[in-house]
Amino acid sequence: MHALAQADDSEPSKPTVRCRAHKFGGSSLADAARIRHVADLLLADDASTQIAITSAMQGTTNALVALGEAATSGSKWKPALEALHQRHNDTAHALLQRPAAAVARINTLCGELAELLQASSLLRQPGRTALERIHGMGEVLSTTLLHAHLVERGGDYALLDARDVLVVRHTDLGAVVDWEQSAAKLAEWRTQHPQARVNITGFVARDEHGLPTTLGRNGSDYSAAIFASLFAADELHIWSDVDGVLSADPRLVPEAVPLTAMSYREACELAYFGAKVIHPQTMTPAIARGLPILMRNTFRPEFAGTRIDAVGDRNPAGPVKGLTLGGDLALVCLEGAGLIGVPGTAERVFAALHAAHISVVMISQGSSEHSICCVVHQREADAARDALQDAFTRELAGAQVQGVTLQTGISVLAAVGDGMAGTPGVAARMFDALARARVNIRAIAQGASERNISVAIDSADAARALRAVHAAFWLSPQTIALAVIGPGKVGSALLDQLQTALPRLRTQHTIDLRLRALASRSNLWLCEHGDAVDWHTRLQQPPSEASLDLLTKHLLDTHLPHAVVIDCSASDSVAARYPEWLAAGIHVITPNKQAGAGPLQRYQAIRSAQAHSGARFRYEATVGAGLPVISTLRDLLDTGDDLLSIEGIFSGTLAWLFNKYDGSKPFSELVLEAHTLGYTEPDPRDDLSGADVARKLVILARESGMHISLSDVEVQSLVPASLRSADRDAFMDGLAALDAPMQAALEAARSKACVLRYVAKLEQDGKASVALRELPASHAFAHLRLTDNCVSFTTRRYCDNPLVVQGPGAGPEVTAAGVFSDLLRLAAALGAKL
Ligand code: ADP
Ligand code: ASP
Ligand code: MG
């Protein structure tokens, strides 16, 4: 069975459709091959009566509009006309076995076009009729070609020039059909052309004075609904180049999804607010007859597309069906204390705009009545402002009205869906998504029908806003732009983990990660689309010079809703950027301790930037690598517990050394062994000095609300004073100096049945220390294994027995996992399903 019949006749017993109307858009008729494909679809249709309404070949109407403009402005138009003529002749030759008749017709039509353009260029001010005749010529040409081809293939088709029967009147609301005259003219035409199949030109019509006209740009959808009604069709199939109506414009939101079904009301709202896929007036004739409209993809006829009818979607996935974005708008506001409570202000505003023939896209008035804002088309913005200034001259002079302001560069984003009516929280979700994507809302409107919420925003934010709201309604995954700094051991492990997890994150958790930038100390790789976290490929490409300014700009330029910097370096200069990033709304995730334990002033700047912008700063991996240390502390504090003390083993290296050290080998030998195994920093003094442990303690102290710095921590360094300033090699050679004091400490501990452990301790009063301690053999810290970290929280609730977090606390894999879990928590906070 052919695809067309298959999609329509899913139930085998369904009777044959009596009359089916089809409309083909320009993209379906772009060249001879596509026209042939359209003919295949039409010839395979089993409806008893069939009408096929056609647009102009792709790009033709734009070319005709440009030709009209060129002629009236005195510019050259002949070469463009010649190209258009040639394209149609070439198509005729490629499409038809006997092209002569069609070519003759094309020549006549193009001759007419040349006369019209010639007249226009002489007159310079052509009448509306001449222009309308020029604009509508594309449909006459394309329908001629399709008709000739169908007839050649044996189809019994009549050819109807819509200008012969369709009569319309132009009003403020667009072209209105004179049904009575049109039906009478069609009936008369049918007496001469009784064929069961008819080709009809879209877009064109005749006005009440009998002059040729058009239904307005994109109007052949409307033509199709009108003719479907005049022929009493049972269904109308509108064929385009997308899988039906999508949840948003696919050129702006590549993740947009095709909608299975929608109601006329939803389709009207989407079309009115600019979804180009269907002309807004199409629904009127369809609603009147209850005619179902099927939006289909010519290039995928086996796909059912979107059904638009009175019922709409029986199983809607959520309250919002689709989103639209309209641009080239302006916001005109009338503001003044003198407007409060004055009846009739809104009426005067609209009367003034109406008198100036300005159409209002959106209206917003606060209940204080202090201001009324209207969104209008940018081309009419100045006229709108002048109209309001004239209408309120008296109030402006008397200062009851402070002024009429005008803002250009505005777009309107609208969310549409029948399910929004009566569902609380839809607006909240939309505004929340916009706030998180750092989009400022200039005006808001919700229709009383509750089927539409519209916001006016700056056009510069429009694409980002659309994607953020699309993601918020589950229409697409949460899309997050990532910049990873420091592809060292932890950074590489993280990128590998992300790459592996990506498919699962997308499908199960609606999280979509896009790697936008990768920076090492000296190189920067910028990714234009950041399609996936394919970092190995990225590193093969030539880098730019490392620049954090460039990285920031690239991240902020993205239209993706959220941006995150993951700092896997250990650099202080990267940490110095955090306040700036957070203030700009970029989230920061890091295992780098420089910020958490660095200068208090910078730490406070980070906190205040974060509080101001709402961006998040997460650093779970700074303490205990992947262990949930900071999140546990946060949970304790956030649930109202009081911290009494934190004690712990925070260094995997020192844990390993003291777990092993039993006096059978000198301590220095163990240090060398640990160094060889890669358990220590390249310079083991970084571990032995206790500075790293002290940093972690400062991070935990600050997390607990204490304003302390590294200098406030009492640190017992294990490095003998004589080796502290030596170079690294000299230090390694002189390691034996560690042995005697360590041996003595061990013996002293043993004499009290204790073990030695390097312990960090924070007390309630802010006292912080890291030191070698003697602990009874029964102590939890005496039973750690290998490089385990252990953090013990004593709180008001956990006072008899502390809450202990223990496990491996070092290594690239677990540290990267700690960073990853921060990223997931962030995604959840941004609305991902976790
Ligand atoms: P045709 O020439 O077939 O009438 P149009 O170009 O007028 O086609 O309309 C189809 C185009 O509309 C699609 O290719 C798509 O880019 C755009 N479009 C905008 N918004 C939507 C949407 N919500 N759903 C589907 N397509 C949309
Ligand atoms: N060809 C006309 C236009 O481009 C009508 C249509 O395609 O719907 O506006
Ligand atoms: Mg269209």
Side-chain angles (χ1 to χ4, degrees):
M1 195 193 281
H2 191 275
L4 177 72
Q6 202 175 33
D8 295 334
D9 301 340
S10 46
E11 293 161 35
S13 58
K14 201 171 151 191
T16 308
V17 170
R18 201 192 50 78
C19 176
R20 197 178 267 135
H22 298 273
K23 179 256 161 171
F24 293 94
S27 54
S28 307
L29 302 158
D31 54 33
R34 292 199 182 165
I35 297 176
R36 199 171 285 124
H37 174 64
V38 164
D40 292 342
L41 292 173
L42 289 174
L43 293 170
D45 181 10
D46 59 2
S48 339
T49 307
Q50 179 196 77
I51 58 170
I53 299 94
T54 29
S55 288
M57 289 178 76
Q58 195 167 37
T60 307
T61 313
N62 285 348
L64 289 166
V65 171
L67 272 171
E69 279 166 9
T72 42
S73 66
S75 318
K76 270 211 294 208
W77 51 269
K78 284 185 180 151
L81 173 63
E82 190 44 47
L84 190 126
H85 188 170
Q86 190 68 42
R87 179 180 177 200
H88 285 85
N89 272 347
D90 289 350
T91 309
H93 285 285
L95 183 67
L96 304 169
Q97 283 174 351
R98 293 173 301 282
V103 167
R105 174 90 180 123
I106 290 168
N107 291 344
T108 309
L109 291 169
C110 288
E112 260 176 50
L113 203 46
E115 281 171 25
L116 286 164
L117 290 164
Q118 183 67 38
S120 304
S121 79
L122 288 174
L123 291 171
R124 290 293 165 89
Q125 262 190 327
R128 178 174 169 155
T129 309
L131 277 181
E132 301 261 301
R133 280 182 68 190
I134 294 169
H135 295 170
M137 203 61 92
E139 272 66 12
V140 185
L141 287 162
S142 65
T143 313
T144 300
L145 285 167
L146 174 65
H147 177 256
H149 176 67
L150 285 164
V151 171
E152 249 187 17
R153 287 176 64 178
D156 185 13
Y157 279 81
L159 174 59
L160 169 57
D161 184 330
R163 293 173 297 188
D164 293 341
V165 303
L166 178 56
V167 182
V168 299
R169 193 166 36 88
H170 288 285
T171 72
D172 281 351
L173 297 172
V176 173
V177 180
D178 183 331
W179 291 103
E180 217 171 296
Q181 266 206 66
S182 303
K185 280 176 179 283
L186 177 64
E188 193 188 325
W189 183 87
R190 284 301 261 168
T191 59
Q192 305 300 313
H193 305 88
Q195 289 96 321
R197 297 185 166 221
V198 186
N199 288 118
I200 307 174
T201 53
F203 188 47
V204 292
R206 195 163 285 274
D207 69 12
E208 67 266 46
H209 310 295
L211 299 170
T213 188
T214 66
L215 301 185
R217 289 309 305 269
N218 227 357
S220 54
D221 297 334
Y222 184 30
S223 305
I226 296 168
F227 279 104
S229 181
L230 287 171
F231 276 84
D234 302 299
E235 31 185 71
L236 166 61
H237 296 236
I238 295 185
W239 298 86
S240 185
D241 57 351
V242 274
D243 280 343
V245 182
L246 307 181
S247 50
D249 187 336
R251 291 163 299 185
L252 298 170
V253 184
E255 303 85 355
V257 289
L259 306 170
T260 319
M262 66 197 314
S263 67
Y264 292 129
R265 276 187 303 237
E266 288 173 327
C268 283
E269 295 273 359
L270 279 178
Y272 176 74
F273 279 91
K276 193 196 163 209
V277 66
I278 191 162
H279 187 275
Q281 280 179 281
T282 315
M283 253 61 70
T284 317
I287 293 170
R289 296 187 50 86
L291 169 77
I293 301 176
L294 295 109
M295 304 293 297
R296 314 215 18 208
N297 188 347
T298 325
F299 307 102
R300 220 150 77 86
E302 69 282 4
F303 189 74
T306 307
R307 184 183 169 93
I308 305 174
D309 60 20
V311 179
D313 197 346
R314 289 174 194 276
N315 297 305
V320 171
K321 211 19 114 34
L323 303 171
T324 61
L325 192 62
D328 293 329
L329 301 170
L331 192 62
V332 191
C333 292
L334 181 72
E335 273 178 49
L339 297 175
I340 298 173
V342 179
T345 309
E347 196 183 329
R348 283 172 63 198
V349 167
F350 299 124
L353 294 175
H354 179 74
H357 301 290
I358 291 159
S359 65
V360 178
V361 177
M362 184 182 128
I363 311 152
S364 161
Q365 176 175 22
S367 63
S368 73
E369 301 185 351
H370 181 265
S371 71
I372 299 181
C373 295
C374 302
V375 176
V376 298
H377 292 283
Q378 192 144 298
R379 58 176 186 276
E380 295 174 344
D382 289 336
R385 183 194 46 210
D386 296 348
L388 292 188
Q389 273 169 348
D390 287 350
F392 288 86
T393 316
R394 201 164 32 88
E395 285 83 352
L396 282 162
Q400 287 115 305
V401 168
Q402 267 77 61
V404 179
T405 59
L406 176 63
Q407 258 157 5
T408 52
I410 295 289
S411 292
V412 167
L413 170 65
V416 167
D418 285 345
M420 285 160 59
T423 309
V426 177
R429 208 148 119 198
M430 180 168 177
F431 299 153
D432 190 40
L434 289 170
R436 280 193 265 113
R438 309 177 308 284
V439 176
N440 182 30
I441 302 174
R442 299 204 169 262
I444 300 169
Q446 172 171 348
S449 71
E450 292 187 39
R451 284 190 182 87
N452 178 324
I453 300 176
S454 306
V455 292
I457 54 179
D458 287 340
S459 296
D461 294 337
R464 198 173 68 246
L466 179 65
R467 281 182 152 230
V469 176
H470 194 269
F473 288 105
W474 313 122
L475 300 171
S476 73
Q478 282 298 332
T479 312
I480 300 176
L482 293 183
V484 175
I485 300 175
K489 282 201 184 114
V490 174
S492 311
L494 173 70
L495 287 163
D496 281 342
Q497 288 177 9
L498 292 177
Q499 202 168 341
T500 312
L502 211 61
R504 190 171 40 82
L505 292 180
R506 280 195 70 120
T507 52
Q508 288 179 17
H509 304 297
T510 65
I511 300 171
D512 186 8
L513 301 175
R514 307 289 176 99
L515 185 65
R516 290 276 295 170
L518 196 57
S520 68
R521 199 166 311 165
S522 45
N523 289 327
L524 173 66
W525 290 267
L526 297 178
C527 323
E528 224 16 81
H529 303 296
D531 286 336
V533 189
D534 181 4
W535 69 285
H536 290 285
T537 322
R538 195 57 55 192
L539 289 183
Q540 307 296 315
Q541 282 148 24
S544 349
E545 201 177 309
S547 151
L548 290 179
D549 285 337
L550 207 57
L551 176 140
T552 311
K553 184 173 173 311
H554 189 68
L555 207 52
L556 286 175
D557 275 351
T558 167
H559 56 276
L560 304 179
H562 312 291
V564 184
V565 167
I566 301 185
D567 172 21
C568 294
S569 76
S571 152
D572 192 62
S573 60
V574 177
R577 294 288 187 132
Y578 295 179
E580 170 198 331
W581 285 330
L582 291 162
I586 301 175
H587 309 280
V588 176
I589 296 177
T590 187
N592 180 356
K593 290 182 272 294
Q594 298 291 353
L600 194 56
Q601 210 183 355
R602 181 168 75 196
Y603 184 78
Q604 280 160 346
I606 287 174
R607 289 294 180 206
S608 86
Q610 193 190 357
H612 191 255
S613 74
R616 318 243 167 174
F617 173 45
R618 292 192 171 275
Y619 40 90
E620 177 64 87
T622 51
V623 182
L627 297 179
V629 176
I630 290 171
S631 50
T632 302
L633 175 58
R634 272 263 55 89
D635 285 349
L636 289 172
L637 298 172
D638 290 346
T639 57
D641 206 347
D642 296 317
L643 187 74
L644 302 179
S645 71
I646 300 177
E647 235 181 324
I649 307 273
F650 293 170
S651 157
T653 317
L654 295 175
W656 187 86
L657 287 172
F658 289 104
N659 288 341
K660 283 254 167 191
Y661 185 48
D662 58 5
S664 60
K665 269 188 207 168
F667 193 73
S668 59
E669 223 171 275
L670 285 175
V671 173
L672 271 178
E673 202 178 319
H675 189 248
T676 319
L677 286 169
Y679 289 170
T680 68
E681 293 296 320
D683 184 338
R685 278 174 297 187
D686 292 342
D687 301 301
L688 296 170
S689 68
D692 187 56
V693 175
R695 278 199 194 97
K696 293 174 184 168
L697 198 60
V698 169
I699 291 172
L700 291 182
R702 287 178 179 174
E703 193 68 40
S704 318
M706 300 171 192
H707 302 289
I708 72 165
S709 289
L710 206 52
S711 55
D712 299 320
V713 185
E714 220 173 274
V715 186
Q716 180 190 355
S717 172
L718 301 181
V719 184
S722 59
L723 291 178
R724 285 188 194 157
S725 52
D727 66 24
R728 201 180 69 161
D729 292 343
F731 167 71
M732 293 308 278
D733 290 344
L735 266 184
L738 282 165
D739 294 339
M742 208 52 89
Q743 181 72 26
L746 183 66
E747 276 161 20
R750 283 212 166 140
S751 68
K752 294 172 219 156
C754 285
V755 295
L756 284 179
R757 291 293 181 266
Y758 196 73
V759 178
K761 182 159 186 183
L762 176 71
E763 286 165 66
Q764 200 177 14
D765 59 3
K767 189 165 176 293
S769 63
V770 292
L772 195 60
R773 298 199 190 281
E774 297 172 343
L775 299 178
S778 59
H779 194 282
F781 297 166
H783 300 287
L784 300 181
R785 301 187 52 228
L786 302 169
T787 59
D788 269 7
N789 277 201
C790 186
V791 186
S792 153
F793 298 97
T794 307
T795 67
R796 186 170 44 78
R797 290 183 195 138
Y798 291 93
C799 60
D800 296 335
N801 209 5
L803 172 64
V804 176
V805 179
Q806 182 190 331
E813 284 293 331
V814 287
T815 307
V819 176
F820 196 171
S821 67
D822 272 344
L823 183 59
L824 291 185
R825 255 188 227 115
L826 171 70
L830 296 176
K833 287 190 216 167
L834 276 168

